[in-house]
Amino acid sequence: MKLLTLNTHAWLEDNQAEKMDVIAETIVEKEYDIIALQEVNQLMSSPAISQALKQDNYGVVLLNKINPRVRQKYSLFWSNSHIGYDKYDEGIALLTKLPVYEVDAFYCSQHQRVDSILSRKILGLTVEYQGRLVDCYSCHINLPNCEGEDQLDNIRAIVERNQSQNLKILMGDFNTDAISDPVAYQNIKCLGLLDTFDIAEQKDSGITVEKAIDGWNGHSEEKRLDYIFLNQPKQVLSSQVIFNGKNKPVVSDHFGLDVELIL
């Protein structure tokens, strides 16, 4: 199973069109089974194309670049989390070419209003892969020291969302740096989660942010903020950072994470 997670920083990047083309080309090349995206924005003022989606939804535009070039078409699932930068519906998304049996969008945070940046929506899909059902989640989590929220409770809400025996895959921006805050990182794993980076047979540095960014002002050191966690042990063939200027051009203020595992 091929997985990709990326915080896209949608519509906030210089040369945004060229960067989106890089992402689309990479997805066509790599043929990921599941793609988790965070900060998937649309202007609140844009024309609607469905009850939830606007014409300029980053996921919609990306999908329209991918599907004409692939044999097995991808489906887009998106949910709004909160207002971003005073003008965007900031949401999360999953793209998959696998059969989907259930879609589950829910707040993992105590804050659950679109006018609060502390409101954190999670998007879950139950998909079928090689005859097995798998629960996949695109996650954008609050900081560990976020006032009014308990990060571990937020993540626990995802882990305990359903009582199925399915493999759960939590993918995304967890806003916890395994390098500078090993205690917070270890606390996440103590919820019963395995970091695919830890158990990968092939891996690189795992660094997904190398400068100060929104939410990490004054923290210019290299950071590992983006993860793919499992709730069951599996063989992880590789964990590679992508879109970092070495493995594909930089496309966002976060790098992506490309993981391949065997179920």
Side-chain angles (χ1 to χ4, degrees), residues 127-186:
V127 300
E128 182 183 357
Y129 180 79
Q130 296 181 347
R132 301 182 182 183
L133 295 181
V134 180
D135 299 331
C136 308
Y137 300 90
S138 182
C139 310
H140 192 187
I141 304 299
N142 279 310
L143 290 157
N145 57 356
C146 184
E147 186 174 353
E149 292 290 342
D150 184 305
Q151 187 194 65
L152 288 179
D153 282 347
N154 289 179
I155 300 172
R156 186 180 291 109
I158 308 168
V159 175
E160 298 178 353
R161 178 64 178 176
N162 66 55
Q163 300 304 310
S164 80
Q165 299 304 305
N166 301 339
L167 170 67
K168 290 183 171 65
I169 307 176
L170 280 61
M171 312 166 63
D173 175 2
F174 283 77
N175 262 320
T176 295
D177 179 20
I179 299 169
S180 66
D181 196 349
V183 172
Y185 167 68
Q186 187 62 41

Side-chain angles (χ1 to χ4, degrees), residues 91-153:
I92 51 172
L94 284 160
L95 294 172
T96 186
K97 57 184 181 178
L98 301 176
V100 175
Y101 287 84
E102 186 174 346
V103 182
D104 185 21
F106 60 96
Y107 281 108
C108 71
S109 54
Q110 294 296 313
H111 292 77
Q112 300 186 4
R113 294 167 52 100
V114 294
D115 60 358
S116 171
I117 197 171
L118 302 182
S119 299
R120 298 295 167 139
K121 184 76 75 71
I122 304 300
L123 183 60
L125 298 180
T126 300
V127 300
E128 182 183 357
Y129 180 79
Q130 296 181 347
R132 301 182 182 183
L133 295 181
V134 180
D135 299 331
C136 308
Y137 300 90
S138 182
C139 310
H140 192 187
I141 304 299
N142 279 310
L143 290 157
N145 57 356
C146 184
E147 186 174 353
E149 292 290 342
D150 184 305
Q151 187 194 65
L152 288 179
D153 282 347

Side-chain angles (χ1 to χ4, degrees), residues 132 167 194 199 230 232-237 261-263:
R132 301 182 182 183
L167 170 67
L194 302 166
I199 57 180
L230 310 176
Q232 300 172 15
K234 298 294 176 184
Q235 183 181 5
V236 180
L237 299 178
L261 55 85
I262 295 177
L263 299 194

Side-chain angles (χ1 to χ4, degrees), residues 20-74:
M20 185 183 284
D21 285 341
V22 170
I23 297 171
E25 289 165 6
T26 302
I27 292 171
V28 171
E29 172 194 343
K30 300 281 190 176
E31 299 181 330
Y32 296 106
D33 296 293
I34 302 165
I35 301 155
L37 304 175
Q38 303 85 45
E39 291 190 29
V40 182
N41 300 331
Q42 60 184 20
L43 279 171
M44 297 166 67
S45 58
S46 291
I49 59 173
S50 72
Q51 185 174 357
L53 296 171
K54 304 288 178 63
Q55 194 173 63
D56 69 335
N57 182 284
Y58 184 95
V60 170
V61 179
L62 180 63
L63 188 72
N64 289 338
K65 290 178 177 288
I66 297 167
N67 272 350
R69 303 168 55 188
V70 294
R71 179 181 57 83
Q72 196 169 357
K73 306 303 182 189
Y74 285 86

